[in-house]
Amino acid sequence: MADEAVAEHPAEPAAPKAKDARSPEAPRGGARGDDNAKDAPDAPGSSDASDAPDAEAAEREKERERAADRFKDRTRDPLAEEQGEEEPTDAAAATRARRSGQKLLASGRDLIGFDRSDVGRLHIGDINIGLDARRSGLSMRDGPVPEEELLRIRRTHIEPEGYVRLRRALEARRLLVLGGAPGTGRASTALALLEEVTRDGEGGRNSERVRRADPERGVRELAAQVVAGEGGRLRGTGYLLEPALDRPGTLPPDGMDLDQLASALAEQGSYAVVVVSVGSAANPLLAGRYGAICPPAPTRELVAVRLRQRLEEEHGDPVRVGGGGSARDGDGGGARDGGGRRAPNRHADRNRGGDADRDEGRDGGRDEGRTQDAHQGGDRTRDGSQDRDRGQGRRPDDDGSLSRLLERAAELREDPEVTEAVGLDDLRPAEAELFASLLAGHLLGSVGREELLSGCRGLAAVQAYEWFAGVDRALAAPPPGDGRAPVRSGTAALFHPVAFRIALAVLGGASHSAVSAAAHLLTWELSVQSDPDSTPARPLFCDDPESDLALSRARPADGPVDVAGAEVTGRLIFYRGAALPAAVLAELWDRHFPVRAPVVRWLRLLADDPRPQVSMRAAVAAGELSVRDFEHGYAELVRPLAEAPTPRRRVFAATALDQAAGHASHRRAVRKVVEDWSRHGTPALRWTAAMALGYGRSADSMDDTLDALARIGVRDDGEQLAVASLNVVRLLTLPECATVLRRLADWTGHRGEEYQDLALVSIVRLALTDVDEVLDDEPGTPLGDRGDWPLLLALAATRPELTGKLADLFWTALNTARSRDVAFDALEALLRSASRKDGREWTREGLAALLPVLTAEEHDRRRLDWLLQRMMRDQDRPLTEERARALWRLAVPARQRRSEEEESHG
């Protein structure tokens, strides 16, 4: 388009005529040298050379129009069958959701690295350690806490933030209701508080001054026992009560019950800590004047302390290892953080001098047995005994080897492979104990590298086991006999925390509301499966999102949410650890077979969810579950949904199949299934097979994938050509895209019209599809950074070696009668994408690569000139002179523009 032609608005060339000497169907190959293709009827100014009568010409014109209409129908989105004819699907959101779900479950960890028959204990190398703190805590009923355990608490307990506030509240009110998630150290904190307040009180000389109360008995019974002094209980005793509030029929104590207990404790000079799990049942207690939340101990400090203790226990008297060097062992219980620095001494010795009021004005006067300065006169433990390192007369250079071990331990803790194997953002006390034991064992030579990593991977599996083991056993328990009428809590209240953890494992990274809604759906399914004769009932206003997060080790975060093709900021939710989603699904599927039926029903419901963030994440999870038991997953999830009448369910099945194909152990089986469906399946199964093939992992090679898509696309007069072409385009984002372009060129010259149509529809769809709709790569790759570009232009910009092939294929679509109209519309859309509405560059780089090759001939430049002028006169979206001239200059080099001006070409 000459510059003068743009400025002077010359008359539009004659529109392309419809008549042609050759058949308007079936291009004779994609090569530009083909005269038949080159003289296609879409060239501006072309004339009809036919001498046939007008009736024959009119019939040819009608046939051409019918062929063009059929072709246009095949370029529509095959995923939009349920929606309005012009309503687009949010393929980009679906792609992002699938990618997010795959990242969530891509840990590839061996979840069964120890004896699952007794998961409460773990044996690795010569390490044998208990893991389930809750189980051990409940094993002692209504009995004194041994002095040895109190001594251990004094030496090893790490004070959480706000510990002093908790102690002062207990001293002031005699009663403390301490809330937290199970396993976070709340019971240890309760024992530490009771040990501390009773040691200097009336029961200081009582060997049974701290007692555990029977969890089966309520607050009322404990109050009665305290007043009556039953069982020889002396004054000044401290009581630890962990009531089982989650049992059906159990009523939580009310304010009057707590007041009565506090009064009884005051009369006897005693104390009590009631430990409860956060949740709807306990929240009223925690909101009252006796309630307080127990923060978890800091992870780094927790591991540092446990690691030092393990090294000291296993190492014994330090022995020189390797070269010299010496350093004092420190202050008895002190730990070093990951960088080798001394961690705050909040554990064994609890030195309070110098910084005696570390936590909000801590009172150091009560602890006279402790030293006033950690570095003066030797360290003392909480019970006032001389530190054993100093008491044994250790020389300053005796512990050099221990110091070196601690330095190596700090480096090992930060090892990326170890961090990935642990897969938890923060460790709880029992997990820190195990992790420290593993690190110490590896440093001392008793645990090999693989054993270390396997043990670290087992941490998440143990947590998942504890979450699910015997959850509904309480349904068979009798109601409490405390004189009040029991109120049946119902199965829904019991199953909701479990359902939330499963929903979070499946939908992690989705919005909090989506995960919560899915959890309620699963709660219903679990309740119906457990008690089919009753209609589950769940209160509408008793949810506590913060409790859900605490009980599930979850964290919220602000992030993008796809809504109707646009991104908005929402509240997302994730597990606090990349290992937990896979561990939860493995535990659920491998150990709890009765729960499979309700979970399958639930996943089918999620498959119908119109939000891609829900349905695609659920599909990825379904694929992972199928890997763990392919027979069951295929029969209950994949095959039924693959034959469903709705595209959304079939996409779910295809995504699940592809997820299974990502595992080498199941790739062969998936490929056999997809091969059979592509050859012998029903139309619905062939459609699903095409979607699975589009991911690129369901056939042995790219040529095999394209052969299968061609079989599906050309069968039954091209009934499934639309979905086949869509998945040919999806393959163009893979490294083997040159193979795809070669096969497209072969199909354009095929004798069969269906093969030609498959190629032409794929070419047009390539120009109409944005990168985000089909690309699996994260932003940061050449294509990923061009997510809103048409894929044709993105490939031209990032793969210059393919530009010639891309231009030849698109040229063929522009010069074929039945594809001409939609190809021209696609070319216009490409030209308009050169810059954004605000004037910023958009796809100019891709157009600069493609247009010169696409308009290499005079005939092609005349067509571009005609199209640009038409766009300038568009009444709805007129193209400005400046932009039209810029596009013309992109397509036609300056040398050729001068030549055309001399020839007066407009």
Side-chain angles (χ1 to χ4, degrees), residues 107-114 116 122 124 416-424 434-435 438 449-464 578-580 582-583:
S107 57
R109 53 189 59 248
D110 58 329
L111 295 172
I112 309 175
F114 47 87
R116 299 299 294 273
L122 179 60
I124 298 177
E417 192 174 10
V418 172
T419 301
E420 190 277 336
V422 172
L424 298 172
L434 172 61
F435 184 47
L438 291 169
R449 178 76 176 184
E450 289 305 316
E451 286 182 302
L452 169 66
L453 297 178
S454 179
C456 291
R457 294 184 184 109
L459 294 174
V462 171
Q463 175 63 93
L580 286 172

Side-chain angles (χ1 to χ4, degrees), residues 162-185:
Y163 177 87
V164 173
R165 282 197 308 273
L166 298 178
R167 189 195 59 172
R168 288 176 175 172
L170 179 59
E171 290 173 337
R173 298 188 179 93
R174 300 281 179 168
L175 173 63
L176 181 66
V177 179
L178 194 60
T184 56

Side-chain angles (χ1 to χ4, degrees), residues 92 138 189 192 247 275 278 283 324 367 390 469 624 650 660 793 833:
L138 293 178
T189 298
R247 292 187 54 179
V275 175
V278 291
N283 284 349
D367 305 306
R390 308 279 178 91
E624 287 296 315
R650 297 200 292 266
L793 296 182
S833 71

